[in-house]
Amino acid sequence: MSTDPYQVLGVDKGISQDDLQKAYRKLAKKLHPDLNPGNKASEERFKEVTAAYDLLADPDKRARFDRGEIDASGAERPQHRFYRDFADRGERHSYSSDAGFADFADTDDILSQIFGSERRGGMRMRGHDVHYRLALDFLDAINGAKRQVTLPDGSALEVTIPPGTRDGQVLRLRGKGRPGVGGGPPGDALIEVEVSPHPVFSRKGNDILVDLPISLREAVLGAKVTVPTPTGAVTMTVPKWANSGRVLRLKGKGVPGPDGGHGDELVTLKVMLPDKPDPELEKFVAGWRPADNPREAMET
């Protein structure tokens, strides 16, 4: 290990404690053994970086090192020249501390769970996470469901799909990953959801979008029509003189939100002519003289 912990961390001596912590965190995430399995060089480098940060993160030790009273290992100069030879006799290192790991306590990454424990004798590490993909029907994603994921050993893992699950969302099943090392906790199972498209519905945020065909008669005279929603059909009123493209809103018929509320269903009207020619309709339209020109705004 370098005799200068500042060099080990790649920082200047005048660096602030906050910036020192950021520099250490960046290196630790890059070098930690659990993120570099089998890489001995990375493991050794991680140990050097951690030891250097342990010393500099303690303001008192940092000041004593800067004054030349202790060396990079935390040993006194010169009275305890062979301090390292005696430091492992069943007692906690005087220069060992958990300083610097508190900043990981509120994160959800793997480092926050294994840094502190690794410093206390041996490699007690959290198990690896395992990743799976789960194809899901559109309506199951909206309404919630229970599904199973088949594991490599043939066993099945039950997954609860919360209402409102999005395409690409990752569901975390805590403790369902690989076993930990040295008594460490198991990892998690991470389930990435792939939501299949639906022939009628689409989704935008927490709103459901639907294109609803209506007849010419319904568009002109208005009508009560049946509209599909993710939880079942409902009746909606189409107002008189409803043009194609008009959007009607069904309040609360959209996607459930985490706060207990719901989005809306947005129904876009599509006026449809009869599939087969209607002579009576043709005769009426031939004698009809509309008062306005629908393309008037486009003309120059």
Side-chain angles (χ1 to χ4, degrees), residues 41-79:
S42 179
E43 182 178 341
E44 290 303 315
R45 174 76 173 128
F46 170 75
K47 291 178 180 178
E48 291 182 358
V49 165
T50 300
Y53 180 69
D54 276 352
L55 187 144
L56 297 181
D58 185 319
D60 180 61
K61 291 180 181 178
R62 180 177 178 178
R64 296 188 67 201
F65 175 81
D66 290 344
R67 293 194 299 266
E69 296 175 5
I70 58 175
D71 64 17
S73 71
E76 298 284 344
R77 289 177 175 172
Q79 294 86 347

Side-chain angles (χ1 to χ4, degrees), residues 22-37:
K22 291 176 183 177
Y24 167 68
R25 185 185 178 94
K26 182 177 179 180
L27 287 171
K29 284 187 174 182
K30 178 182 177 182
L31 298 170
H32 196 278
D34 200 52
L35 304 178
N36 299 275

Side-chain angles (χ1 to χ4, degrees), residues 108-149:
D108 195 36
D109 60 22
I110 192 170
L111 300 175
S112 65
Q113 302 184 42
I114 57 184
F115 273 9
S117 59
E118 183 182 277
R119 303 303 318 289
R120 302 179 179 90
M123 295 291 286
R124 183 179 183 274
M125 294 195 300
R126 177 182 181 275
H128 288 286
D129 294 336
V130 290
H131 298 258
Y132 301 97
R133 292 181 183 271
L134 177 63
L136 194 62
D137 179 78
F138 183 92
L139 292 181
D140 286 340
I142 300 300
N143 297 321
K146 288 187 181 295
R147 291 292 179 267
Q148 287 189 337
V149 173

